[in-house]
Amino acid sequence: MPRKSALKEVKCLVASFKPVMLMQNDDAMKQAQNIEGLYRYVVELFDVIARNESNGFSGKFDYSVSLTPSRFLVYKKVSGKEPTEKEYEEFMTAISIFQMVFIDENIYLTGNVCERTLIISKEGIIWGTDEEIDVNEISVRVEKTLADKYDEKYVALVSNKVIVDFLPTVYRFNPFKEEKGNMMRHIVNPINSVRKGNEELLSNLITYCQNYIQLKKFDLEL
């Protein structure tokens, strides 16, 4: 009798990230532990937001995360044939928190968010997921067809690239609503500390943040 395959194709929302370290640190183990710790902190923040009734957000961090030393994958199996509006909103919120938390620690995420089918084993091992990630620029890009499907929600356009609009997505929630101070401490200061020598690499992220500063009329220099 032929053995039944343990692999199955699953429709998912997927974020593929490569963490870019711009602070000098030669200890690979420490870097890996830092990324693992930041991942766990994102999970805590997401759940804190969901528990705070004033946020009106009922999400739960029920995403699968595959960590390797050089990249990681966040994915969510969709309940039907296509992701629902709620699934999309919650996923983009999680990705936005990842981006903000990692910048605060001077780790810059580059990669992409898309909707696709993953091949997953019963043990949760993912097959055939290698993706090219552009490390010549720092930005978390969103697949245009995915952005179009959800009326450009939670995305911004920078240099003709559709990216995650992470600042307003995060700042609509408690405990982040003190936007100017939060942005100065957790976004502007970290970027300014590594900007010299990395101007081209950070150009899209800087442009995006400058646009937000201008929109909000914040007295912040980036």
Side-chain angles (χ1 to χ4, degrees):
M1 188 173 179
R3 187 177 173 185
K4 204 169 187 179
S5 173
L7 298 178
K8 60 179 179 177
E9 292 188 349
V10 183
K11 189 70 171 285
C12 297
L13 287 167
V14 183
S16 306
F17 291 137
K18 184 170 182 60
V20 180
M21 320 282 186
L22 296 180
M23 301 288 278
Q24 291 301 316
N25 186 344
D26 296 327
D27 189 337
M29 178 62 77
K30 191 169 183 180
Q31 287 180 357
Q33 289 171 340
N34 195 12
I35 288 172
E36 170 78 14
L38 290 175
Y39 152 58
R40 300 201 178 282
Y41 182 53
V42 169
V43 175
E44 289 176 15
L45 276 179
F46 192 93
D47 289 341
V48 164
I49 288 169
R51 287 196 302 269
N52 189 328
E53 293 180 1
S54 67
N55 285 328
F57 181 74
S58 58
K60 183 182 177 185
F61 197 96
D62 55 358
Y63 307 106
S64 299
V65 179
S66 172
L67 290 166
T68 73
S70 60
R71 64 179 58 201
F72 64 99
L73 202 70
V74 182
Y75 63 96
K76 165 75 175 177
K77 302 174 191 176
V78 300
S79 54
K81 290 184 178 179
E82 302 292 336
T84 65
E85 184 93 22
K86 186 173 186 292
E87 285 173 332
Y88 173 73
E89 176 194 0
E90 291 174 2
F91 190 75
M92 294 299 277
T93 299
I95 300 313
S96 297
I97 297 172
F98 267 109
Q99 194 165 5
M100 189 193 78
V101 166
F102 274 70
I103 289 172
D104 188 27
E105 292 297 315
N106 273 124
I107 301 174
Y108 297 86
L109 297 177
T110 191
N112 51 72
V113 177
C114 63
E115 174 191 358
R116 64 190 178 91
T117 299
L118 295 179
I119 303 170
I120 303 174
S121 76
K122 286 181 179 177
E123 293 77 26
I125 299 168
I126 311 163
W127 297 79
T129 58
D130 284 344
E131 282 191 38
E132 287 296 322
I133 295 177
D134 187 359
V135 293
N136 294 313
E137 61 180 37
I138 300 294
S139 60
V140 179
R141 297 175 68 170
V142 180
E143 186 180 52
K144 191 175 185 310
T145 54
L146 182 64
D148 289 345
K149 185 183 290 188
Y150 296 97
D151 301 321
E152 312 296 328
K153 288 181 180 175
Y154 312 113
V155 300
L157 193 67
V158 175
S159 303
N160 297 319
K161 296 176 176 70
V162 183
I163 67 169
V164 176
D165 194 12
F166 70 97
L167 288 172
T169 302
V170 172
Y171 287 152
R172 65 194 168 122
F173 296 124
N174 288 315
F176 308 113
K177 285 191 172 180
E178 201 281 284
E179 295 182 46
K180 183 180 174 182
N182 268 325
M183 191 169 182
M184 180 184 70
R185 288 187 297 273
H186 305 302
I187 304 292
V188 173
N189 288 349
I191 292 174
N192 280 340
S193 71
V194 295
R195 180 172 182 166
K196 188 177 180 181
N198 295 297
E199 188 88 27
E200 191 172 344
L201 185 68
L202 291 166
S203 61
N204 283 348
L205 180 61
I206 290 170
T207 298
Y208 166 77
C209 292
Q210 286 173 335
N211 290 345
Y212 191 79
I213 289 168
Q214 186 176 12
L215 176 70
K216 292 289 185 173
K217 297 181 172 60
F218 289 155
D219 183 22
L220 296 173
E221 191 170 333
L222 179 62

